[in-house]
Amino acid sequence: MFRVYDKKKKKFLYDDVFLGSDDVIFKYNCGFLKSYLRVLSANRYVFQNCIEIPDVNNRLIFEGDEVKYKLDSKTVQGIVSYVSQIASYMIIDHKDQICYPIRANGDELNVEIEVIGNVFEYNNKT
């Protein structure tokens, strides 16, 4: 599962969007006389994977989500990101410049995560 953000319209696309090879994003368009796949510009559209883990409100978490989470006795905010060097999703706390792993043991998380926004809203706050 994934979502695509349209930077021009400032909204997420969930339906009729496909990912091709080399991370090319396609949109299925259905017209009166024809249907076709259109390639979406990487400059305008941003692809974000679902990490297949729900937050405390049972809302699925995606790359780029701003989350608040409790780790041990500390509550921190950060952005969910994929770190390819370790092939894992991490929560990046830009304020303190620290990365925290998201670990799942079966259906249980080692942290309480709550989605509070996304990277596009976060970037507009700064």
Side-chain angles (χ1 to χ4, degrees):
M1 174 179 244
F2 63 90
R3 67 185 180 191
V4 174
Y5 186 75
D6 182 337
K7 292 190 267 185
K8 184 176 179 181
K9 292 185 178 180
K10 298 184 188 301
K11 70 177 191 172
F12 285 102
L13 307 175
Y14 295 93
D15 300 320
D16 300 327
V17 181
F18 306 92
L19 187 65
S21 61
D22 296 326
D23 294 333
V24 175
I25 304 167
F26 296 94
K27 172 96 170 100
Y28 177 72
N29 290 315
C30 184
F32 180 67
L33 297 175
K34 64 179 178 178
S35 299
Y36 57 95
L37 287 176
R38 179 172 59 103
V39 176
L40 300 182
S41 165
N43 293 328
R44 176 173 168 180
Y45 298 92
V46 179
F47 172 84
Q48 295 180 317
N49 270 315
C50 176
I51 69 170
E52 302 296 330
I53 296 173
D55 75 350
V56 296
N57 298 312
N58 209 29
R59 180 177 169 187
L60 285 174
I61 302 171
F62 288 83
E63 288 178 272
D65 278 344
E66 182 180 7
V67 295
K68 179 172 64 174
Y69 58 100
K70 186 175 181 180
L71 183 60
D72 300 323
S73 61
K74 183 178 178 180
T75 300
V76 192
Q77 281 186 215
I79 302 294
V80 176
S81 300
Y82 183 75
V83 180
S84 59
Q85 294 85 345
I86 59 173
S88 183
Y89 289 100
M90 306 284 285
I91 299 172
I92 300 175
D93 179 353
H94 292 282
K95 180 181 169 192
D96 294 332
Q97 303 283 317
I98 298 174
C99 295
Y100 298 96
I102 301 172
R103 293 193 193 109
N105 182 9
D107 290 333
E108 295 182 32
L109 293 173
N110 70 333
V111 291
E112 294 177 18
I113 303 173
E114 180 180 12
V115 175
I116 58 172
N118 60 63
V119 69
F120 303 105
E121 294 167 348
Y122 178 84
N123 285 337
N124 290 335
K125 292 180 199 173
T126 57

